[in-house]
Amino acid sequence: MKIPHPKTERTLVLIKPDGVQRSLIGEIIGRYERSGLKLAGLKMCIPTEAHIEEHYSLDPAWRRVTGEKTIKGYESKGLTPPSRDPLEITARILANLKKYLASGPVIAMAWQGAHAVAIVRKLTGGTEPLTSDVGTIRGDFVLDSYQMSDTDGRAVRNLVHASGSVKEAEAELAHWFSKKELIGYRLISEQILYDVNLDGLLE
Ligand code: GDP
Ligand code: MG
């Protein structure tokens, strides 16, 4: 079987309701766009809580892994986690995520290009805005933290969702977009990114 060229990789990005409300749609799209990635699909919608639960259930390991990661996070700060059961921890996180993501319109996007998943994760930054690197979307535009969101019993407001792996991206894109909504086309600027010989530049 022919291995697909890296430039065909696609990933899902959601601008969450806080990103829309804070008028950051253009800023966020611009950051992905200027990296050289190509927009292959875009829509605005208000997801249902069921759609969000399905989104986070696409990876059967997500509940366990997120629960375990969260427990480790508490312990690394010298804090006692609210439960020792990873699934119980994730049940709380998921309930808050459903409320958060169904609270208003979101922007769903498919971005395409070489290493799209990893490039988008790098530009997006780490999950908790307090520790996301400066220069990333979450690091530059949010001041939220697990401490604050846990105190207030809500999801951490981190502006965007971005798929974590190529496998996750494939499942998530199929969950948010029909085949018809994802558009294959060529951008003139792709020549400078992907052309092997760079011929045709000189007059
Ligand atoms: P992402 O891929 O960077 O969004 O992070 P994950 O897939 O690990 O987690 C998805 C969502 O679960 C995050 O956006 C957070 O809302 C929530 N979450 C993950 N880890 C934690 C945690 O340690 N504490 C809390 N309160 N929420 C978390
Ligand atoms: Mg994730």
Side-chain angles (χ1 to χ4, degrees):
M1 208 177 73
K2 202 173 159 229
I3 298 168
H5 191 278
K7 71 182 180 186
T8 61
E9 188 171 305
R10 283 177 174 169
T11 190
L12 175 81
V13 174
L14 304 173
I15 303 181
K16 295 177 175 177
D18 50 332
V20 173
Q21 294 303 320
R22 292 189 50 209
S23 306
L24 287 170
I25 298 171
E27 172 70 38
I28 292 169
I29 290 180
R31 287 188 172 218
Y32 298 125
E33 195 176 33
R34 74 188 184 190
S35 74
L37 291 173
K38 168 172 75 179
L39 197 54
L42 173 125
K43 65 180 165 190
M44 180 181 246
C45 57
I46 303 174
T48 62
E49 290 198 8
H51 189 80
I52 299 304
E53 177 152 355
E54 282 158 20
H55 166 90
Y56 285 108
S57 306
L58 292 169
D59 172 7
W62 181 80
R63 287 172 202 252
R64 180 182 50 76
V65 170
T66 302
E68 287 170 358
K69 198 186 79 173
T70 307
I71 291 170
K72 279 203 192 104
Y74 276 101
E75 286 168 346
S76 71
K77 292 175 197 149
L79 301 169
T80 309
S83 163
R84 291 273 164 206
D85 176 3
L87 297 182
E88 202 180 308
I89 295 266
T90 306
R92 286 173 212 220
I93 290 176
L94 186 58
N96 288 333
L97 275 170
K98 286 197 285 188
K99 256 193 262 168
Y100 169 36
L101 288 168
S103 66
V106 306
I107 305 288
M109 297 178 282
W111 285 96
Q112 180 178 333
H115 312 292
V117 171
I119 297 283
V120 161
R121 291 285 282 196
K122 184 178 72 165
L123 296 172
T124 301
T127 310
E128 187 189 18
L130 177 64
T131 55
S132 314
D133 288 336
V134 171
T136 65
I137 294 166
R138 286 165 169 170
D140 286 353
F141 297 114
V142 212
L143 39 65
D144 209 3
S145 65
Y146 292 144
Q147 188 198 340
M148 188 157 72
S149 63
D150 287 352
T151 302
D152 293 340
R154 60 166 176 78
V156 69
R157 292 186 187 138
N158 56 11
L159 289 179
V160 280
H161 165 81
S163 308
S165 67
V166 172
K167 198 167 154 249
E168 197 175 288
E170 281 167 6
E172 290 181 352
L173 283 167
H175 184 57
W176 288 85
F177 289 96
S178 69
K179 275 211 172 107
K180 253 186 15 205
E181 289 173 320
L182 296 176
I183 299 173
Y185 65 101
R186 237 156 42 89
L187 273 184
I188 305 301
S189 60
E190 283 175 302
Q191 212 170 332
I192 204 73
L193 299 175
Y194 304 124
D195 253 26
V196 178
N197 297 319
L198 280 187
D199 42 8
L201 293 183
L202 299 176
E203 287 190 335

